[in-house]
Amino acid sequence: MIGALARIPGYRLMHAWGRPLLDPINVTISTTFRCNSRCLTCNVYERPVDELTAEEWDRVFVSLGRAPQWFTFSGGEPFLRKDLPDIIESAWRRCRPRVINIPTNGTYPDRVVAAVKRLTGVLRGTQLVVNVSLDAVGERNDTIRGLRGDYASATGTLAALRALRAPNLTVGVHSVISRHNVAEFPEIADRLMALGSDQYIVEPAEERIELQTIGTGITPKPEPLAAALRHVERRLAGRRDDGLPALTRALRLVYYRLARETVRRKEQTIPCYAAIASVHIAANGDVWGCCTRARALGNLRGNGFDFRAIWGSPEAREERRSIKAKECACPLANAAYTSILMDAGSLARVGAHLLAPSRGGRP
């Protein structure tokens, strides 16, 4: 976090001027769009794509250099790529990030556990976060996620990951709040928190270009969403964590407030630093300012794997102008992390949550 804070003045100047003064610290990598789930909140598996190879991803990481502090390796289902550990090791060798995050549906337990065990032994000085996706309990979860046996597989994977007990491993549960589960979400959250993960995080379902969910109506209405988020906030507010889970909890408590206001007002509640402090690279090498818009600023294959050529392109400058002008608004959690750090009021709230005394133990 210290590395991110040191760059705040430069990112603020980028936001003001639109010029590529610094490279992003928060990088999301879509390793694949393939997925074995058929979630009611995601159609990403329908996107045709010619995936970058592990060797091509290595060239991407060389170009990114040491700027990234936080990587997210997402999908589709990232563990469908058997070379996922090779790709992540390449990112670690070239970029030395402080945090690497992998979301997974948890339906390939042997593959996930073997890969995580290998990575925790390699990623010295880097915290590995693996978040298992669960949107309800039992058969209801399987219905929402479109895969029979999903809940049993995912909870089994969660238990096996927790049993690894590696010092640089954080194991979490991640839920999407949608119109399909918002009414019963307080009970869902309570039961999923009881699984005993290191962290529990939620976010609203979004209509994203990336997920091909525009027009699906999956985002909950503002009032029931606010009730669901406030329940999670109350459960997490008195929790006392250490290390990365403590920082994640503090960021999330600020994020939940921003997310419910963004959905209610349908506008940015703090300045967005997507395409400035954060970036998303698609499975085919397209560089996106964010995945909600999924506008290609350029393609790495087509630009000799020169990230900075794309980062300084007219398309990137136009994306920054448009985002600064608030021509878009979304509750995208990953991009919100760095936007929160760049906003003085939000950053102060993060600090207050970190320093607040505990009112109880783990939920």
Side-chain angles (χ1 to χ4, degrees):
M1 185 174 178
I2 294 174
L5 296 179
R7 301 182 201 183
I8 287 176
Y11 288 128
R12 286 181 174 171
L13 286 175
M14 280 186 69
H15 188 269
W17 297 343
R19 299 174 187 172
L21 303 176
L22 296 172
D23 292 338
I25 53 172
N26 180 359
V27 180
T28 299
I29 303 291
S30 288
T31 57
T32 184
F33 293 138
R34 292 175 286 135
C35 192
N36 59 318
S37 297
R38 294 295 181 265
C39 298
L40 299 178
T41 57
C42 178
N43 300 315
V44 71
Y45 58 87
E46 294 179 351
R47 296 183 69 98
V49 63
D50 181 13
E51 297 172 357
L52 296 186
T53 65
E55 292 75 17
E56 288 176 315
W57 279 119
D58 186 68
R59 296 181 65 183
V60 172
F61 303 136
V62 169
S63 185
L64 287 170
R66 295 298 180 95
Q69 298 279 301
W70 179 295
F71 271 105
T72 298
F73 288 90
S74 69
E77 169 49 47
F79 285 97
L80 280 174
R81 288 198 64 147
K82 295 182 179 180
D83 58 359
L84 180 68
D86 299 326
I87 294 171
I88 292 175
E89 284 190 28
S90 173
W92 180 80
R93 286 195 311 271
R94 303 297 191 182
C95 305
R96 287 296 196 271
R98 301 305 301 271
V99 178
I100 289 177
N101 175 51
I102 314 172
T104 177
N105 62 21
T107 59
Y108 294 92
D110 293 342
R111 189 180 300 181
V112 171
V113 173
V116 170
K117 187 174 182 179
R118 167 182 161 183
L119 289 169
T120 55
V122 171
L123 305 182
R124 296 181 300 277
T126 296
Q127 190 73 16
L128 178 63
V129 182
V130 182
N131 287 317
V132 179
S133 296
L134 289 165
D135 294 336
V137 177
E139 291 184 4
R140 181 61 181 148
N141 175 81
D142 296 357
T143 298
I144 293 173
R145 299 195 61 81
L147 185 64
R148 181 174 295 181
D150 180 282
Y151 186 79
S153 295
T155 52
T157 299
L158 180 69
L161 289 172
R162 292 183 62 221
L164 292 177
R165 300 188 182 281
N168 61 336
L169 175 63
T170 297
V171 180
V173 172
H174 173 272
S175 298
V176 172
I177 308 175
S178 71
R179 65 180 175 86
H180 301 290
N181 63 1
V182 66
E184 63 267 32
F185 199 80
E187 179 185 355
I188 291 171
D190 288 348
R191 294 184 65 179
L192 294 180
M193 286 182 192
L195 295 174
S197 59
D198 298 319
Q199 63 182 23
Y200 179 66
I201 60 177
V202 304
E203 62 185 289
E206 301 169 62
E207 295 191 22
R208 294 188 203 168
I209 298 292
E210 174 207 19
L211 304 182
Q212 303 197 140
T213 51
I214 301 299
T216 59
I218 55 174
T219 304
K221 298 296 183 183
E223 292 79 10
L225 173 63
L229 288 174
R230 286 194 178 99
H231 178 80
V232 175
E233 289 175 66
R234 287 193 295 270
R235 291 298 312 276
L236 295 182
R239 177 169 172 162
R240 177 55 60 198
D241 297 303
D242 297 314
L244 185 63
L247 177 58
T248 301
R249 182 185 68 91
L251 283 166
R252 283 279 166 170
L253 285 170
V254 176
Y255 161 72
Y256 295 145
R257 174 177 173 272
L258 297 177
R260 64 175 185 260
E261 283 300 297
T262 299
V263 172
R264 183 180 67 84
R265 291 160 48 181
K266 297 183 180 179
E267 64 180 14
Q268 294 178 25
T269 52
I270 61 173
C272 180
Y273 279 74
I276 295 175
S278 62
V279 73
H280 193 124
I281 304 178
N284 66 343
D286 279 349
V287 176
W288 299 337
C290 79
C291 59
T292 301
R293 289 179 143 198
R295 293 181 178 176
L297 312 182
N299 182 275
L300 286 160
R301 270 184 180 142
N303 283 271
F305 295 92
D306 185 348
F307 176 79
R308 288 178 185 86
I310 297 172
W311 202 233
S313 67
E315 292 82 0
R317 291 195 295 273
E318 167 57 22
E319 186 77 341
R320 293 183 192 113
R321 182 211 61 78
S322 177
I323 293 172
K324 180 186 175 184
K326 299 185 177 182
E327 294 175 358
C328 59
C330 74
L332 179 64
N334 204 322
Y337 275 1
T338 39
S339 296
I340 287 169
L341 295 180
M342 303 302 141
D343 179 69
S346 299
L347 183 58
R349 293 185 187 96
V350 171
H353 286 305
L354 285 171
L355 296 173
S358 173
R359 295 194 299 270
R362 283 178 175 264

